[in-house]
Amino acid sequence: MQSGTRTVNIGIIGLGTVGGGVYRLITTHAERYRKNLGVDLRIARACSRSEERARELDIDRGRFTTDWRDVVSDPSVDIVVEVIGGEHPATEIFEQSFSAGKYVVTANKALLGRHMEELATAARAAGVQLRCEASCGGGIPIVDTLGRDLSGNEIITVAGIVNGTTNYILSRMAEEGLGYEEVLADAQRLGYAETDPTADVDGLDAASKIAILSSIGFATRITADDVHAQGIRAVCAQDIEVARELGYAIKMLAIAHRTESGIDVRVHPAMIPASHPLAGVSGAMNAVCVVGDAVGETMFYGAGAGAFPTASAVVGDVLALAEPLSAGTQALPEPEPFKRELAIRSIRDLSTRYYVRVVPDGANDARSCAEEVLERHGIAVGQALTLEDGSVALVTEAVREGDMADAIAEMTSAEGAPCEIANTIRIEDVAAWTEGVEAN
Amino acid sequence: MQSGTRTVNIGIIGLGTVGGGVYRLITTHAERYRKNLGVDLRIARACSRSEERARELDIDRGRFTTDWRDVVSDPSVDIVVEVIGGEHPATEIFEQSFSAGKYVVTANKALLGRHMEELATAARAAGVQLRCEASCGGGIPIVDTLGRDLSGNEIITVAGIVNGTTNYILSRMAEEGLGYEEVLADAQRLGYAETDPTADVDGLDAASKIAILSSIGFATRITADDVHAQGIRAVCAQDIEVARELGYAIKMLAIAHRTESGIDVRVHPAMIPASHPLAGVSGAMNAVCVVGDAVGETMFYGAGAGAFPTASAVVGDVLALAEPLSAGTQALPEPEPFKRELAIRSIRDLSTRYYVRVVPDGANDARSCAEEVLERHGIAVGQALTLEDGSVALVTEAVREGDMADAIAEMTSAEGAPCEIANTIRIEDVAAWTEGVEAN
């Protein structure tokens, strides 16, 4: 059982931002891992489509390849690190690695967000592990925390800020009073947003992440397709300003909450109390709240992206696998995943308070006409603010989404819409996140 | 490798707050662990000095004992949960459990704060594991996070609020403008502080915890005796009020920071910027910031004590051991602990800014006389506030602790002390915590 008896060989596929970070982290820290952890890590193979990248990272010809098959078929490789992202050839890399008895460490949220159950099952069938700490929350240890440290709990809620790009945009809009488009352009220039920002700003990236986290937390199968996702494009500076007056911050949240009628899982901008810990998370940082019935409310905060934070998560996974390999044994396969059958609740069944901003038009009084339509749908208005430009911000009492959708449809219907809705934003009931925690 | 093939037997020693929580959590969640994790946990033995407690928890006579030796010598027991605290008989429980090839899960910070290296070494020699997630930060998964998830990093800083009692007291003093004694009495009445509050308010509990966390984080041996510990008894409402005016909150911090000349490890009240995430941690909650060279700054937040949060950590450890046992294999021993020799820096070598509150006396002008003494010791004053009662708050530039100690000694020396120092509080340089993080 003496550890450190054999070298553990890593094959990295993908040498982009994350892959380069992983390469650099392992290379510069190898001596530390040997001395402190008794683990001798060696990058046996590294693969990228760009030979230029191999030169940049100073990877010698003998270890570098442009064909991922060279990595997966190399008998010396124990652990394959897949950091190319996307569905193909990542799926094939996973399958062939498992067939060859190799462990896989990945940051591929898009693939896992759709196919985590099949991939975890395939890993288990092959007697190996698939680890994905880096797929959610960048450097924050949240996957492992949910799946292991908090596994004594019945998880009630997983909710947080899991997309750095949208948090960066909303934070700067809030801090500088700027508009969405302006901040997006700046974020693109600074590298915080991609040229095609769709996956981030429309909530698809966050949907993949909350699918992964909720699958693990609730031990059930949830995919990105199960997640109601709505982006931040419609949020404007005025909404943020009004939110502040009402005591709220607007954050792009990913929420998975267990209710008696099923899992409520969604991604959308929401108002949360300015005093809530998530409200203080700014810039490209991420934070995830986990509520368990025993542990109560916890929060995990850190950098949600970036070469080295993400590499920290990847290498953490690599070391977890390498320790037993290094000692001459094996990391056990994970238990059979997601055994529990839990229903996914329709977004129409969610009950939430709403912020509704209504713009006056010549013919109608915005406020009375909006209130009239809302009341007709059984929606009570709890608070109303008339804004400087004459538009009106209404805060409803808790309302079923379906009723709200119907009311909005009526207000904005083509034939003689009685008033113009500038925006609606959910006001998240954060107190509901902790319902069901054991009293101490 | 099919998991769930055999029942894993637990022996709990101690049925106080934490032990009772562990008993209840396992009992109520056993079916969930079986179904979701493939782990069949059974409490085979439970030990307490109080038979009354066995009745309260509805533990049948066959499993209950008042003698811990019955648990440790029971051949069916796989994992011993030690939650009695204190040095004896906990030490004997550990030793005899290891000898019998049993794994140990503990929340015993006082014992581990002094003897973690010997105990971990003994566990390793016996081919078993000693797990102690519950010893620090209650329900927050911080021990495992440092030791495994972030093990790819060179840890730079571990700093946080790890004592719920003192954070509760300081929070209420800040929120309600009350004095220390008044809040302490109330905290004792409400069960947030013990009748003898020494271990908490004098920083001994926090010293044990930061010794454990820093030993793991820096892979070196640090004991509670290495920690410079100073309590909160001297903090008064006026200090908190002045801190607020200066833009700071006063928090009881445990800090371990790696510098080129050694590990700086200490526990004391400190002023931190009101905007720092730790400043918002109130009541009995705990939070720990970990800075790694790759991951950057992270923070982990949750309940620092209480029956169920602590039980969450204990049971997380139990499940981590039970998974391989359940599958018919074994949890690997941990790597040899704390191999690295790192010096502990003397507190006199710390360089920090200081808040100094000086009370006028009839003969002298408090401010000019304090400034004069400070300047004679080479200590520059950066900011000065005259308070309503005529006392003066000075903020020094960064100063070596040794020089500050000398200046304070002169100001308060018996023969003709030139002015009276009401209090001094360090102003923590939180920016230094993240020095050395890799740029992305």
Side-chain angles (χ1 to χ4, degrees):
Chain A
M1 286 278 189
Q2 182 64 34
S3 59
T5 50
R6 82 164 177 86
T7 297
V8 176
N9 286 304
I10 315 299
I12 303 180
I13 302 176
L15 293 171
T17 302
V18 176
V22 171
Y23 183 84
R24 285 196 173 113
L25 185 57
I26 293 180
T27 312
T28 54
H29 288 53
E31 183 57 24
R32 187 185 169 278
Y33 305 151
R34 244 190 310 275
K35 276 168 66 176
N36 298 347
L37 308 171
V39 170
D40 187 25
L41 288 190
R42 175 176 161 261
I43 297 174
R45 304 289 288 185
C47 168
S48 166
R49 279 180 301 194
S50 150
E51 305 214 6
E52 172 60 24
R53 191 66 178 145
R55 279 189 295 276
E56 268 173 37
L57 292 165
D58 203 20
I59 303 175
D60 50 278
R61 284 241 141 255
R63 291 186 297 158
F64 180 74
T65 175
T66 54
D67 186 352
W68 61 267
R69 290 176 190 81
D70 290 341
V71 178
V72 171
S73 65
D74 183 332
S76 80
V77 168
D78 300 292
I79 301 169
V80 172
V81 173
E82 180 276 304
V83 277
I84 48 173
E87 203 143 337
H88 300 284
T91 305
E92 292 72 26
I93 291 170
F94 282 36
E95 287 169 354
Q96 294 187 30
S97 297
F98 296 154
S99 297
K102 297 183 194 314
Y103 297 82
V104 174
V105 172
T106 183
N108 196 329
K109 58 223 173 190
L111 180 56
L112 292 182
R114 289 185 180 278
H115 301 292
M116 193 176 185
E117 188 184 23
E118 303 90 285
L119 294 167
T121 303
R124 183 176 154 78
V128 294
Q129 276 193 30
L130 165 62
R131 293 183 70 98
C132 61
E133 184 57 73
S135 65
C136 301
I140 307 169
I142 181 66
V143 169
D144 222 21
T145 294
L146 263 174
R148 203 216 32 251
D149 296 297
L150 298 178
S151 63
N153 291 261
E154 181 76 59
I155 299 298
I156 298 169
T157 307
V158 181
I161 294 164
V162 295
N163 181 272
T165 304
T166 48
N167 200 53
Y168 176 86
I169 293 173
L170 292 176
S171 298
R172 282 202 53 197
M173 287 173 69
E175 286 154 18
E176 299 169 41
L178 301 174
Y180 168 77
E181 293 294 344
E182 192 176 351
V183 177
L184 172 63
D186 212 37
Q188 286 171 319
R189 200 175 52 74
L190 295 166
Y192 286 107
E194 306 205 24
T195 314
D196 175 3
T198 308
D200 293 315
V201 301
D202 290 340
L204 312 178
D205 171 82
S208 293
K209 290 168 176 168
I210 196 68
I212 295 168
L213 293 176
S214 57
S215 293
I216 294 168
F218 300 122
T220 193
R221 179 196 163 94
I222 296 170
T223 73
D225 294 334
D226 296 320
V227 181
H228 173 85
Q230 179 191 326
I232 62 162
R233 292 185 200 255
V235 178
C236 67
Q238 197 173 21
D239 298 319
I240 294 175
E241 187 49 41
V242 176
R244 187 174 307 163
E245 278 179 48
L246 295 167
Y248 297 111
I250 297 179
K251 290 291 178 184
M252 175 67 157
L253 297 185
I255 301 165
H257 176 60
R258 193 175 175 204
T259 73
E260 288 190 6
S261 56
I263 305 286
D264 158 30
V265 57
R266 52 202 160 90
V267 166
H268 54 75
M271 294 191 186
I272 52 172
S275 60
H276 192 276
L278 288 175
V281 175
S282 71
M285 300 303 277
N286 280 195
V288 181
C289 291
V290 178
V291 181
D293 63 346
V295 76
E297 188 166 18
T298 59
M299 189 178 86
F300 307 92
Y301 166 91
F308 286 106
T310 312
S312 165
V314 168
V315 175
D317 275 349
V318 166
L319 289 167
L321 296 168
E323 275 194 32
L325 290 173
S326 180
T329 64
Q330 290 219 313
L332 278 184
E334 299 284 331
E336 196 181 317
F338 320 139
K339 293 188 191 179
R340 201 149 59 158
E341 293 287 335
L342 293 174
I344 310 290
R345 223 165 65 145
S346 161
I347 188 75
R348 289 185 63 93
D349 293 330
L350 179 71
S351 177
T352 189
R353 290 194 302 144
Y354 254 99
Y355 152 91
V356 183
R357 186 157 56 82
V358 188
V359 176
D361 68 19
N364 294 296
D365 169 51
R367 178 168 173 175
S368 61
C369 123
E371 284 184 327
E372 189 193 306
V373 177
L374 290 170
E375 273 163 34
R376 202 178 315 138
H377 287 268
I379 302 167
V381 172
Q383 209 174 348
L385 272 184
T386 301
L387 310 177
E388 271 181 21
D389 66 355
S391 61
V392 176
L394 304 174
V395 174
T396 72
E397 300 293 348
V399 41
R400 231 185 106 260
E401 286 266 334
D403 295 336
M404 190 69 198
D406 294 344
I408 291 171
E410 180 177 334
M411 282 193 259
T412 56
S413 65
E415 36 165 339
C419 45
E420 191 188 333
I421 297 186
N423 205 3
T424 58
I425 296 175
R426 293 179 188 89
I427 300 175
E428 184 62 23
D429 180 10
V430 294
W433 294 359
T434 55
E435 278 168 17
V437 172
E438 292 284 343
N440 268 285
Chain B
M1 287 276 190
Q2 181 64 34
S3 58
T5 50
R6 83 164 177 86
T7 298
V8 175
N9 287 305
I10 314 299
I12 303 180
I13 302 176
L15 294 171
T17 303
V18 176
V22 172
Y23 183 84
R24 286 198 173 111
L25 185 57
I26 293 180
T27 311
T28 55
H29 288 53
E31 183 57 25
R32 187 184 169 279
Y33 305 152
R34 245 190 307 276
K35 276 167 68 175
N36 297 347
L37 308 171
V39 170
D40 188 25
L41 288 190
R42 176 176 160 261
I43 298 174
R45 303 289 287 184
C47 169
S48 166
R49 280 180 300 193
S50 150
E51 303 215 8
E52 172 59 25
R53 190 67 178 143
R55 278 189 294 276
E56 268 173 37
L57 291 166
D58 203 19
I59 303 175
D60 51 279
R61 284 240 140 257
R63 292 186 296 159
F64 180 75
T65 175
T66 54
D67 185 351
W68 62 265
R69 291 175 191 81
D70 291 340
V71 178
V72 171
S73 65
D74 184 332
S76 79
V77 168
D78 301 292
I79 302 169
V80 172
V81 173
E82 181 276 303
V83 279
I84 48 172
E87 203 143 337
H88 301 284
T91 305
E92 292 72 25
I93 290 170
F94 282 36
E95 286 169 356
Q96 295 187 30
S97 297
F98 296 154
S99 298
K102 298 185 195 310
Y103 297 82
V104 174
V105 173
T106 184
N108 197 329
K109 58 225 172 188
L111 179 56
L112 292 182
R114 291 187 180 278
H115 301 292
M116 194 176 183
E117 189 185 22
E118 303 89 286
L119 294 167
T121 303
R124 184 177 153 78
V128 294
Q129 277 193 28
L130 166 61
R131 293 184 70 100
C132 61
E133 184 57 72
S135 65
C136 301
I140 307 169
I142 181 67
V143 169
D144 222 22
T145 294
L146 263 174
R148 205 215 30 247
D149 296 296
L150 298 178
S151 62
N153 291 261
E154 181 75 61
I155 299 299
I156 298 168
T157 307
V158 181
I161 294 163
V162 295
N163 180 272
T165 303
T166 47
N167 200 54
Y168 176 86
I169 293 173
L170 291 176
S171 297
R172 282 202 52 198
M173 287 173 69
E175 285 155 19
E176 299 168 38
L178 301 174
Y180 167 77
E181 293 295 344
E182 191 176 351
V183 178
L184 172 63
D186 212 37
Q188 285 170 320
R189 200 175 52 75
L190 294 166
Y192 286 107
E194 306 203 24
T195 314
D196 174 3
T198 308
D200 292 315
V201 303
D202 290 341
L204 312 178
D205 172 82
S208 293
K209 290 169 177 169
I210 196 69
I212 296 168
L213 293 176
S214 58
S215 293
I216 295 169
F218 300 123
T220 193
R221 179 195 162 93
I222 296 169
T223 74
D225 294 333
D226 296 321
V227 181
H228 173 85
Q230 179 190 328
I232 62 162
R233 292 185 200 256
V235 177
C236 67
Q238 195 172 25
D239 298 320
I240 294 176
E241 187 49 41
V242 175
R244 188 174 306 162
E245 276 178 49
L246 295 167
Y248 296 110
I250 298 181
K251 289 292 177 184
M252 175 68 158
L253 297 185
I255 301 165
H257 177 60
R258 194 174 176 207
T259 74
E260 287 190 6
S261 56
I263 305 286
D264 158 28
V265 58
R266 51 198 162 92
V267 166
H268 54 74
M271 293 191 187
I272 52 172
S275 61
H276 192 277
L278 288 176
V281 175
S282 71
M285 301 303 278
N286 280 196
V288 182
C289 292
V290 178
V291 182
D293 63 345
V295 76
E297 188 166 16
T298 59
M299 189 178 86
F300 307 92
Y301 167 91
F308 286 106
T310 312
S312 165
V314 168
V315 176
D317 275 350
V318 166
L319 288 167
L321 296 168
E323 276 195 32
L325 290 173
S326 180
T329 64
Q330 290 219 315
L332 278 184
E334 298 284 329
E336 196 182 318
F338 321 141
K339 294 188 192 180
R340 203 150 57 160
E341 293 287 336
L342 293 174
I344 311 289
R345 225 164 64 144
S346 160
I347 189 75
R348 287 185 65 92
D349 293 330
L350 180 70
S351 178
T352 189
R353 292 194 300 144
Y354 254 99
Y355 153 90
V356 183
R357 185 156 58 81
V358 188
V359 176
D361 68 21
N364 293 295
D365 168 51
R367 178 168 172 174
S368 61
C369 124
E371 283 184 329
E372 190 192 304
V373 178
L374 290 170
E375 272 162 34
R376 203 178 315 135
H377 288 268
I379 301 168
V381 172
Q383 209 174 347
L385 272 184
T386 301
L387 309 178
E388 271 183 21
D389 66 355
S391 62
V392 176
L394 304 173
V395 174
T396 73
E397 300 293 348
V399 41
R400 231 184 108 263
E401 286 267 333
D403 294 336
M404 190 69 199
D406 294 345
I408 291 172
E410 179 177 335
M411 283 194 258
T412 56
S413 65
E415 37 166 333
C419 44
E420 190 189 332
I421 295 186
N423 205 3
T424 59
I425 297 175
R426 292 178 187 88
I427 300 175
E428 184 61 24
D429 180 9
V430 293
W433 294 359
T434 55
E435 278 168 17
V437 172
E438 291 284 344
N440 269 285

